[in-house]
Every structure is written in structure tokens, then in C-alpha cells.
Amino acid sequence: MSMLYHSQRAMRAKRQEALRRGVIAILDIGSYKTSCLVLRFDSSDELLAADGVGAMAGQSNFRVIGAATTKSRGVKFGEIDMVQETECAIRTAVQAAQKMANMRVDHVIVSFAGARPRSYGLVGEVSLQTGTVSESDVASALAACDLPDIGEGREVLHAQPVNFALDHRSGLKDPRGHVGNRLSADMHMLTIDSHAIETILRCVKRCDLELAGIASSPYAAGISSLVEDEQELGAACIDLGGGTTGVSIFIKKHMIYADTVRMGGDHVTQDISQGLQIPAGDAERIKTRFGGLVATGMDDRERIELESDTGDWEHDRRTISRAELIGVMRPRVEEILEEVRAILEDAGFDHLPSQRIVLTGGASQIPGLDALASRILGNQVRLGRPLRVQGLPQSACGPAFSASVGLALFAAYPQDEWWDFEVPADRYPARSLKRAVKWFRDNW
Amino acid sequence: MRPLIRRRQAHDPAPSRWAYRVQRLWLTPIFRSVLRVGVPAFAVVALGGVYISDPANVLRLQDSVAELRRSIEDRPEFRVNFMSITGASPVLAEEIRATVSPDFPLSSFDLDLEGLRRRVENIRAVSVAEIRIRSGGELAVTVTERRPVLVWQAREGLWLVDAEGERVAPLLARPDLDYLPVIAGDRANEAAAQALALFETAEPLGERLRGLVRMGERRWDVVLTDGIRIQLPETDPAPALDWVLAQDDAQELLDRDILRVDLRDPSRTVLQLTPDALAELRRMRETEILGDHQG
């Protein structure tokens, strides 16, 4: 646990350094694509109010100066499967983004979807020494959370305090300065398989980059594609990616739950490829060109040629109707959405005050998905696109980039995590000299 | 299973590790500035140093620079063909020509105008000289001559002296200037201005005035043609002379039988009579005494 604490703190320190230097790279390693954004932070606000554009929800202090996307290699279910191949993909993306930015980046924040994320809700409670809540009280409340058994080979990815309660008052965002007797903190903890982090660390290191942060891609997608009131009132973001579908639930601007379905757009492509007996590349092309989920009478008449080059005339000259294609795609998408519904039910999404569901990610661009999703998940479904940030090229504005944009926002406006607070003195090892120093600092 | 031994495919879009590293290195600002400024500057300096370290090369370089310079200087635009002298009398012009005798044609770059001017001004008769190169290859010398106003009878001979006391020329060279007033005595020329003022004061004496003699390098004697000397004081000589002239006007002082009028002591004027006059005076006094006795 303390190992993780230190490594997370080290990453936070690197992120601070990168922000001081003003340049940081965002790397979203997905199953289908690997995209890299280079962000430049500057204190001077280039966007003036006179432009007729508002503060853009406070997103104007950074600017995307380089963006590159490449096809992912060696990634399966959002996890790195072949290290060398993934490294190649990362190199390709980073190099192109650096070239566009005309600037070298050394620090990178990575997000990925896989590695079986699991959410835990923790509660910690302390009685206050002085009556007024101070930052150290918050830290000790967080430290008082009893850690559940997260299992062998699992690591904590996020541990964010989401709610504070003081005596009988709950729902405090910032308890500091309040007066009370007992402070309790609710914390959301997300764990993932530790080997995934190690592999990513290795990949990034082999690309001569330094890991300045790591985030779960459902979380990042939620940050960028949920609008402010959805995050406040409660909403679920469903990031339909290539290999996985991430689900993250937000309320009061905090993520309270995240999980993934290990199915995504690639599986739809795979179904088409298997069902129609065509190569995967053709299947991908047909899916993006003609794909859909709701068949109409018109679709029976629209023929799609399945050209191939085997030499068998009968095989090479097949055509199917669009309705048939829809018939292949729909069951898989339904299956994904059913899984999502199961996850939402597990998470208790029904009990949230608002049950907004936002579909985003590359696979959310299938025509008719919103209709199908509203039938399965409920009425309040909309398709989401990431927030617009400065300098992002048009090609990277689509829903497939919501995790990347969210990660950029994550870099610019990080949420408090457990390790951002000082460790209470009594949690230090007894031998620590730091403890003595801290005692002196606190008391003199 | 895919082959674990990596064989490079021709169409792999990913950059190799080294290509990636080189690109990152190239995007490093300091490396870039070193490579773009530092290395070329170093190369230029090093090549220059290697070239210069051989003395033959330095000589060749100097020769070629000199040759280039000469070829520019020798252009007809910069050539000076003749000298014109204005403001000088023919005699002086001849003297200037003799002093400053460049062998024309020569390039204007080779002319040391300041040196020439100094040499021309070293000629005694020249007060101010101005030398410039005019278009058409003309070296124009404009001279202001010193105007002689006095003749100075010095120990080494007769000199013409201008108003500031500078010697212009020996008098023998210009024998036609003997109408000028004459001064004499050691370093009399240095008090030329005072002498001129005295000559002006002594205007009423006309032809009788022979000249001024500087006595002991501090005061003047006015010498008249009939041998009378008026010894002027060191300070304020002109009023003293004026007084003498007034006495001459009133009592015909200078027509009397005297040798000297001594005004050196302002409180006391002394007249020295000629021996004859002195004898006459004595005789007259004796007769007066006798007459008194008789009477």
C-alpha cells in the first residue's frame, strides 16, 4: 500500500514538474487506436472574453499543440498484450504529435480501459481533536478508511474522497473550517490488475518518456463528455470503445463507480467478419460505412457488395442487404448494452436522483444506437461528444476522443486523491526521522 | 504464434527506436541551437584558424587584399592630376610648389592632406592654408598670405613682420617694401601690436619719425630723423607719446636743441640737451647772474 502511495506521489510530483515546464503529453492507449495529444499550459490566457467565447468552463489555460492518432497494435481488451508492438504504436503516435507540436515532450499521462477495474466505497471516521476540521483531520479521516481485501496482484488506481460527513451533516464538499465532533469521509477506490500498470510503465519507459500520471479511461471519458449538471446530479458515461466498454457513474462531480464490459466495437467487427466470411479490414469498412442498428424497409433494398479476391467467382461476387448487416451487428450491441445494464444495476444507478446516460466512444457512432440504448437502458439516453478544448484538430473532436480530451482535463484540473494529503504522523513507521521533524514542525 | 524474432517489415509505420530518439533529440531546444549555431560557428572559426596558422596563407591574403585595394585606388575617378593655388602671390606660389611637390598623377588615397596642409602652413608667409581635392583630379590649395606691416631690424638682418609679430620673409627678398615702418631691437617683433599702436599715435611726426627701438625687450624708444630719442615708459607708452606730441604742438618741443626726451619715470620728465645748447644755457645763466650783480 505504501509503495503505491509513494509511486503515486512520485507521479504527482512529475506532473507538477511537467506543468511547470508547460508541456505534457496525453496518451490514450485504446484497443482500436492509440492517440497522443501534446498540451501546452501557459499562464497567460490567450482567449479573451472579447472573442465572444466564454471561459469554456475554465478549460482555456491549456492548449492542444500536437495531436496524432495511430492504429493500436498489440492491445486487447484495453490491456497491453504485446509489449513491443504497443511500444511501436506509442512511438508512432508520440513522434507524430511531437512533430506537429514542434516540441519535445518528456512527461506523459496515460489512460487505458482494461485491466478489470473494480470499485470500492470506503468509509473512514475520526473524532476531531480540536473541534475545527483542518487538513490533517481530513488526511487522518482518509487514512482511517479500512482497506478491503482488494485481492492478490491488484493495485489502486484512483482513491478519491467523494463525500465528507461531519456529525449528522452529510454531503460536505470541503469540511475544512467546519466545527464538529466526528468527521467521516467516503472514498471511492478503483483497483486494477497490477501487471497492467507495470506493463504500461515499461512501455512508456522504453519510449524514453516519464509517466506523470495514470487514469482509467472510463473516468476520463466521463470527465469530458458529461456536462456539468450531469456530473452534479448523477449520470453514467458509457464509453463504447474498441475492445472494452467502460462505464463510469458520476454524482456531485465525483466518480463513484467504474467498471468495464470486456466487449466493444471490435467484437461487432469480428461478428461481421465471421458472419459474412470477409476479412476483418473489410468488415471494419462495411461496419463504419453501412452499419446500423435499426432496420427499416429501405434497408432491404440497399445491397452491399462483399468484394474479395479469392478467385472463386461465386464467393467474390456476393452481396448482402443492409438489413442483413444490421441483423449481424444488433445482437452484439444488444449484448454489450445488456451487460452495461447489469453493471448499472449492480452499482445502484437506479437510486441516483437523475439517471442520465451518455453514450460516447468510437462505437457510439453506429447509427441507431441511441434508439437501441434507450430501449435497453432507459429513456434518458443521449449521445455525447467530448468537450471542446482549444487547439484540438477537427479530426480529434469526435466521440472516439472523449477519453483523450478527458485525460487532458484530468491533467489540467486533477481531483484530490488520497495521496495528495499528508500522511498523518501516527501512520508513519516508528523509526522514521520524518516523524520527529513533523512533530517539531507542528508544535513549534 | 507470431514469430518472436523481429524481422523488419518494409511498411511498418512505426519509427525505429533510434529514429524516434534522434527526432526527440532534434526537438530538444538546446541541442538544436547548438547544432544550428554552435557547430557552424565552431567550424568557421576552426577552418579560419587552420588557414591562418600557415604564414604563407596570411601573406597571400594580405597581398590579395592590397592588390584589391590598389586596383580600386588606381581608378581614374580617384586620380589627382594637378595642383591649383589660389590666394598666393606668384612668388609665394612658386615657394608652395617647391615645398609641396607631389609627382602627379597619383591616387587621392595616397595624399596626406593634413600633412600637406601642415607643410604649407610651415612656410612663413602663409597664415592659413586649406587643401582639398576637387572633382576633375584637382588638388586645390587655398592660401591666406601673411600681410607684412613692419620692417624689423634684427641682428641677423632685416625681416618683414606681420601684425602678430610673425616673420613673413627676409627683406632682401622683397626690396620694394621699404615704405613700411621700421622697428629694431631684440625680440621687437613680439611686441608688434604695441609698435603698430605707437606708429598710429606718432602719425603727426610724419617724415621725422625714423622708427621704434625695443630697449631691453621691455619698452620702446621713438627715434626721430634728427637724432632725437623719445624714451617711452614700459607701461602706457602711447599716452606718454601723445603727451610729447602735444608738447611739441604747444611749445615746439621737438624742434628745440635736445637729444632725448626721457619719459621712463612717469612722475618726472627729463630733457637732455645737446652740448651746444647746454653751453648756451650756461652762458645765458652767467650773463643773467652778472646782470643781477650789476643791477
Side-chain angles (χ1 to χ4, degrees):
Chain A
M1 192 66 223
S2 71
M3 272 296 290
L4 166 93
Y5 196 91
H6 288 305
S7 68
Q8 288 281 11
R9 283 210 146 187
M11 281 202 277
R12 180 59 60 104
K14 275 177 197 161
R15 188 184 317 169
Q16 297 296 339
E17 192 199 330
L19 292 190
R20 263 201 306 282
R21 207 182 282 179
V23 181
I24 199 165
I26 294 301
L27 195 63
D28 176 31
I29 303 174
S31 319
Y32 181 71
K33 64 159 178 50
T34 298
S35 61
C36 178
L37 303 181
V38 179
L39 309 183
R40 193 184 63 207
F41 290 86
D42 28 35
S43 47
S44 66
D45 200 343
E46 281 180 29
L47 195 75
L48 298 174
D51 287 343
V53 183
M56 295 181 75
Q59 269 77 38
S60 52
N61 80 335
F62 71 87
R63 190 180 173 83
V64 180
I65 54 170
T69 305
T70 184
K71 186 172 160 51
S72 278
R73 297 158 65 169
V75 182
K76 261 186 193 169
F77 300 117
E79 295 161 30
I80 295 175
D81 186 43
M82 284 182 283
V83 175
Q84 278 78 18
E85 288 289 300
T86 311
E87 196 193 308
C88 283
I90 293 174
R91 276 209 303 264
T92 314
V94 170
Q95 189 181 40
Q98 277 179 345
K99 197 171 177 184
M100 179 172 163
N102 199 16
M103 199 175 269
R104 173 192 171 140
V105 284
D106 290 325
H107 299 91
V108 67
I109 298 181
V110 176
S111 79
F112 59 98
R116 301 179 188 276
R118 202 175 297 155
S119 281
Y120 297 90
L122 311 182
V123 182
E125 197 174 57
V126 287
S127 59
L128 298 175
Q129 306 279 330
T130 55
T132 311
V133 182
S134 64
E135 199 159 323
S136 61
D137 292 324
V138 176
S140 40
L142 293 176
C145 295
D146 15 311
L147 208 62
D149 181 20
I150 55 173
E152 191 66 27
R154 306 276 296 175
E155 282 279 15
V156 179
L157 186 60
H158 294 291
Q160 297 165 336
V162 294
N163 184 30
F164 292 99
L166 196 60
D167 296 337
H168 304 294
R169 283 178 292 159
S170 185
L172 295 176
K173 277 193 171 152
D174 186 356
R176 285 177 301 170
H178 282 279
V179 178
N181 292 319
R182 292 195 67 75
L183 176 73
S184 67
D186 296 326
M187 189 156 69
H188 171 239
M189 187 167 82
L190 193 72
T191 64
I192 54 166
D193 289 343
S194 58
H195 67 81
I197 294 186
E198 279 155 22
T199 322
I200 279 179
L201 205 60
R202 188 179 152 73
C203 275
V204 166
K205 194 153 277 178
R206 277 179 64 87
C207 292
D208 304 332
L209 298 166
E210 282 195 76
L211 196 62
I214 193 160
S216 167
S217 107
Y219 172 51
I223 295 176
S224 73
S225 56
L226 296 183
V227 296
E228 211 167 345
D229 55 336
E230 287 170 345
Q231 285 185 15
E232 180 69 38
L233 298 174
C237 172
I238 295 165
D239 179 16
L240 289 140
T244 53
T245 297
V247 180
S248 56
I249 300 175
F250 279 73
I251 191 164
K252 291 197 169 173
K253 299 196 176 159
H254 287 291
M255 180 174 70
I256 54 164
Y257 189 83
D259 204 347
T260 54
V261 179
R262 287 164 76 79
M263 274 186 287
D266 286 351
H267 297 86
V268 179
T269 310
Q270 202 178 314
D271 285 350
I272 296 169
S273 169
Q274 286 173 359
L276 305 178
Q277 295 188 351
I278 51 173
D282 287 0
E284 181 69 30
R285 186 180 61 82
I286 287 169
K287 180 185 83 172
T288 51
R289 181 101 192 270
F290 305 103
L293 292 174
V294 182
T296 58
M298 180 70 174
D299 293 331
D300 286 330
R301 271 173 285 157
E302 190 176 345
R303 306 297 296 182
I304 303 165
E305 289 189 12
L306 304 176
E307 289 178 7
S308 58
D309 214 8
T310 57
D312 179 354
W313 196 88
E314 289 291 341
H315 185 265
D316 288 355
R317 292 279 167 249
R318 285 177 301 149
T319 58
I320 54 161
S321 68
R322 183 157 182 251
E324 280 175 275
L325 178 67
I326 289 171
V328 174
M329 289 173 69
R330 185 167 169 132
R332 180 61 85 167
V333 176
E334 274 177 354
E335 191 188 351
I336 295 172
L337 293 176
E338 302 270 352
E339 292 275 344
V340 167
R341 189 176 63 186
I343 286 173
L344 291 180
E345 270 169 17
D346 280 354
F349 186 59
D350 305 340
H351 305 296
L352 292 192
S354 152
Q355 277 146 27
R356 197 90 173 136
I357 291 173
V358 177
L359 298 169
T360 185
S364 73
Q365 297 171 92
I366 306 175
L369 180 71
D370 47 345
L372 184 63
S374 63
R375 197 171 298 169
I376 295 173
L377 299 174
N379 275 331
Q380 294 185 322
V381 171
R382 73 170 180 97
L383 294 179
R385 298 167 69 81
L387 209 80
R388 293 177 61 176
V389 294
Q390 267 196 85
L392 197 67
Q394 184 66 39
S395 59
C397 283
F401 290 86
S402 52
S404 306
V405 174
L407 204 55
L409 299 179
F410 171 78
Y413 306 99
Q415 266 184 340
D416 289 345
E417 305 248 12
W418 186 9
W419 33 81
D420 292 332
F421 293 93
E422 287 291 323
V423 186
D426 53 336
R427 299 271 161 171
Y428 271 111
R431 58 178 170 75
S432 176
L433 185 68
K434 273 186 194 164
R435 187 174 165 187
V437 172
K438 185 165 170 49
W439 185 84
F440 263 97
R441 198 180 289 158
D442 288 349
N443 290 282
W444 295 89
Chain B
M1 194 185 119
R2 76 173 193 137
L4 292 180
I5 309 296
R6 189 186 166 88
R7 292 172 188 88
R8 183 102 190 135
Q9 281 118 21
H11 58 274
D12 190 355
S16 69
R17 263 175 93 83
W18 282 108
Y20 174 79
R21 278 184 186 163
V22 164
Q23 196 231 15
R24 279 172 65 78
L25 194 63
W26 180 241
L27 286 175
T28 311
I30 180 137
F31 175 80
R32 213 166 164 157
S33 56
V34 161
L35 208 64
R36 290 169 78 169
V37 179
V39 169
F42 177 76
V44 165
V45 168
L47 284 178
V50 165
Y51 187 76
I52 282 186
S53 63
D54 186 359
N57 283 332
V58 178
L59 267 180
R60 202 181 313 145
L61 208 63
Q62 282 170 344
D63 283 354
S64 60
V65 167
E67 199 170 310
L68 188 69
R69 192 185 156 82
R70 180 105 317 260
S71 73
I72 291 171
E73 285 174 359
D74 285 349
R75 292 179 70 81
E77 289 86 351
F78 299 120
R79 203 175 293 153
V80 176
N81 292 317
F82 62 97
M83 181 162 75
S84 68
I85 298 171
T86 48
S89 59
V91 181
L92 183 58
E94 264 322 301
E95 196 177 344
I96 288 171
R97 274 183 207 287
T99 316
V100 187
S101 55
D103 5 342
F104 295 116
L106 81 167
S107 166
S108 62
F109 286 95
D110 296 339
L111 276 172
D112 173 19
L113 291 184
E114 187 58 27
L116 280 183
R117 191 180 66 81
R118 225 172 289 128
R119 271 161 67 196
V120 170
E121 284 187 348
N122 277 346
I123 300 173
R124 286 185 192 283
V126 174
S127 164
V128 179
E130 196 180 303
I131 300 190
R132 56 170 64 157
I133 294 166
R134 293 232 185 91
S135 60
E138 177 188 356
L139 182 67
V141 181
T142 310
V143 170
T144 310
E145 263 189 83
R146 287 187 196 281
R147 203 164 56 80
V149 290
L150 292 171
V151 175
W152 174 37
Q153 204 171 349
R155 285 177 191 279
E156 64 265 32
L158 292 173
W159 284 97
L160 289 170
V161 175
D162 74 348
E164 287 145 16
E166 288 293 323
R167 282 174 283 190
V168 177
L171 185 58
L172 285 181
R174 298 169 153 202
D176 52 339
L177 289 172
D178 52 359
Y179 53 85
L180 290 175
V182 180
I183 56 175
D186 291 341
R187 300 172 77 173
N189 59 329
E190 286 170 15
Q194 206 178 22
L196 282 175
L198 287 177
F199 277 120
E200 201 171 318
T201 312
E203 189 96 55
L205 291 174
E207 288 289 307
R208 283 185 71 189
L209 180 65
R210 190 141 178 220
L212 295 178
V213 181
R214 188 74 168 160
M215 300 303 289
E217 301 180 11
R218 60 188 176 88
R219 63 172 197 83
W220 292 102
D221 269 10
V222 180
V223 180
L224 302 185
T225 42
D226 41 7
I228 297 177
R229 271 179 178 246
I230 304 171
Q231 291 175 312
L232 296 177
E234 192 177 344
T235 52
D236 294 336
L241 183 59
D242 232 7
W243 181 83
V244 171
L245 294 177
Q247 292 301 315
D248 184 37
D249 262 3
Q251 304 181 17
E252 295 173 342
L253 174 67
L254 298 178
D255 292 336
R256 293 172 189 246
D257 214 357
I258 54 175
L259 279 180
R260 267 192 299 179
V261 182
D262 185 354
L263 299 168
R264 286 176 294 182
D265 185 355
S267 60
R268 193 172 60 127
T269 307
V270 177
L271 295 182
Q272 185 187 6
L273 304 181
T274 54
D276 291 348
L278 195 62
E280 182 65 13
L281 186 64
R282 281 211 188 105
R283 197 190 52 84
M284 281 173 69
R285 279 202 183 143
E286 277 168 14
T287 53
E288 254 176 50
I289 294 166
L290 285 177
D292 283 349
H293 284 289
Q294 286 168 355

